[in-house]
Amino acid sequence: MDTARLRSLIAAEMPDLVRIRHDLHRHPELGYAEHRTSGVVVRELTRLGVEHVAGLAGGTGVVAHLPATSGKPGAPAVALRADMDALPIQEQTGLPYASEHKGVMHACGHDGHTTNLIGVARVLSRIADRPNPVTLVFQPAEEGGAGGKRMCDDGVLGGKVLGPPVRAIFGLHGWPQLPVGSVASRPGPLLAATDSFDVTIHGTQSHAAYPHFSQDPIVAAAHCITAVQTIASRNVGPLDSVVVTVAMINAGSARNIIPREARFSGTIRTLKDQTRLLARERFRKIVEQCALGLGCRAEVVLQEGYPVTRNDPGATDRFFSVARQALGAEHVLPVEQPTMGGEDFSFYGQHVPACFFILGVCPPGR
């Protein structure tokens, strides 16, 4: 099908898709609680007559399939993925379609991702000549819940749920730094591995007027927080990438009491497997020994998060080829360097060739 015909089909669907996106934005739901959102997806697929299976990944995941109408019989499918969950953030945009759920907001744009894939289902279902079977993956809980892993575990890529096995998968994310009408990607690492840590420093409580009777966990925590920054500056090569961010600190209950405990939490981001292992090892040792040197004891809990989102070269070449044909080469850009954000799309790439790309959402003049 020529691009002009495809654009006309998309344009015909746009007004109603905007309505759906605004509806999803008004009713955001956190990971594994996307019951209404999943219901909207099922409603739209049912209306189109697109075969689908719901209730995946713990209850809210949906997979749909459009069979090929031409081409080689029994060909493997191309999969497209969208995430559906929102974030625990209070919306203050003042938009007419702002969140109606206190403390929950689609601040990461997954309402747009979900609507996008509903639009794909609408347009593809209207195309008579489909040479490739297409599997649509609507997943829950990208925001820390590893919903993508659970969809993989349920077998959505292997042909166990619906349709033939998947030969390649593609996903997108809205990107505020990229102009509307543009897309971008890169082969190899695109997004970082994301691990998290929770540290409790155990000391000895005393009155603030008598600090010599204490082992001060706040002082020890402060030294630990400063010391772990040497992982990036002194343990990893300057051309490698590692981020150690402490994002929460909690201690004490009164101004004149040195507390018994202090806690801090945060994230470690890396792009290489060996750097990931090194950073975790050094973090634990630095914190434990630094606290010990100040008379305290550190309890360190490290939690493994998402792997590196690593784009398959062949799938990425295919993305660039199709995108240039559809949008024009001037609107298809290379991502020069990986970003240290994370994505559970990475789990799909552990099973089949995958390409994740970014979609410009920055309006003109912004």
Side-chain angles (χ1 to χ4, degrees):
M1 173 178 289
D2 63 80
T3 301
R5 170 61 176 152
L6 192 59
R7 286 184 181 276
S8 69
L9 291 174
I10 293 170
E13 300 292 345
M14 280 300 292
D16 198 48
L17 291 173
V18 170
R19 179 192 62 79
I20 291 173
R21 187 253 161 167
H22 288 178
D23 175 68
L24 294 178
H25 194 87
R26 286 191 187 96
H27 301 95
E29 297 169 304
L30 297 177
Y32 297 119
E34 311 94 332
H35 301 290
R36 185 184 184 278
T37 306
S38 180
V40 170
V41 171
V42 168
R43 179 196 72 201
E44 291 298 310
L45 294 172
T46 301
R47 188 180 66 81
L48 294 170
V50 174
E51 188 178 6
H52 59 276
V53 174
L56 299 169
T60 53
V62 182
V63 64
H65 185 70
L66 292 106
T69 57
S70 62
K72 185 178 179 180
V78 173
L80 307 173
R81 169 268 201 172
D83 38 12
M84 301 186 292
D85 57 325
L87 284 160
I89 293 175
Q90 180 64 36
E91 181 161 4
Q92 299 178 346
T93 63
L95 291 169
Y97 53 89
S99 170
E100 297 175 7
H101 296 184
K102 185 177 180 180
V104 184
M105 178 192 176
H106 267 300
C108 205
H110 296 183
D111 52 332
H113 303 170
T114 301
T115 305
N116 183 296
L117 204 55
I118 291 172
V120 169
R122 286 188 175 195
V123 171
L124 289 184
S125 66
R126 293 179 61 185
I127 294 175
D129 181 21
R130 293 194 300 267
N132 293 298
V134 179
T135 296
L136 308 177
V137 179
F138 297 86
Q139 72 146 80
E142 190 279 326
E143 298 290 355
K149 182 178 186 302
R150 294 186 69 172
M151 293 293 277
C152 292
D153 291 345
D154 281 354
V156 300
L157 300 180
K160 297 178 181 178
V161 179
L162 184 64
V166 168
R167 64 176 170 85
I169 187 168
F170 298 83
L172 61 79
H173 203 296
W175 212 253
Q177 291 81 23
L178 199 66
V180 165
S182 299
V183 293
S185 192
R186 72 187 308 273
L190 178 67
L191 294 149
T194 60
D195 296 322
S196 62
F197 55 82
D198 296 289
V199 176
T200 303
I201 305 294
H202 300 275
T204 302
Q205 185 174 350
S206 78
H207 195 285
Y210 311 104
H212 53 294
F213 293 141
S214 76
Q215 278 79 43
D216 191 334
I218 292 179
V219 170
H223 279 269
C224 290
I225 291 167
T226 299
V228 296
Q229 297 308 316
T230 63
I231 296 172
S233 66
R234 290 298 179 268
N235 298 142
V236 173
L239 300 182
D240 199 351
S241 299
V242 60
V243 171
V244 181
T245 296
V246 176
M248 294 192 295
I249 309 174
N250 294 283
S253 58
R255 293 177 180 174
N256 61 341
I257 300 295
I258 294 171
R260 183 174 289 109
E261 294 178 349
R263 298 179 176 86
F264 62 90
S265 302
T267 181
I268 301 172
R269 308 289 178 110
T270 50
L271 292 172
K272 297 178 181 177
D273 293 340
Q274 60 269 34
T275 307
R276 187 181 192 184
L277 292 172
L278 172 67
R280 289 163 61 95
E281 177 187 329
R282 292 299 298 142
F283 182 91
R284 182 182 296 279
K285 185 168 290 187
I286 288 170
V287 170
E288 289 178 345
Q289 296 301 316
C290 185
L292 186 64
L294 293 166
C296 296
R297 177 177 63 87
E299 180 184 346
V300 180
V301 178
L302 288 163
Q303 297 177 325
E304 186 174 306
Y306 298 164
V308 172
T309 301
R310 187 173 283 106
N311 282 343
D312 174 79
T316 308
D317 284 346
R318 180 62 176 158
F319 156 75
F320 278 122
S321 174
V322 172
R324 289 183 183 117
Q325 181 182 354
L327 304 176
E330 68 275 17
H331 298 297
V332 182
L333 308 172
V335 175
E336 298 294 343
Q337 300 292 337
T339 174
M340 300 308 284
E343 245 287 345
D344 80 343
F345 184 81
S346 54
F347 289 110
Y348 299 101
Q350 294 182 334
H351 298 271
V352 297
C355 175
F356 198 63
F357 64 94
I358 56 178
L359 173 71
V361 297
C362 183
R366 291 285 292 276

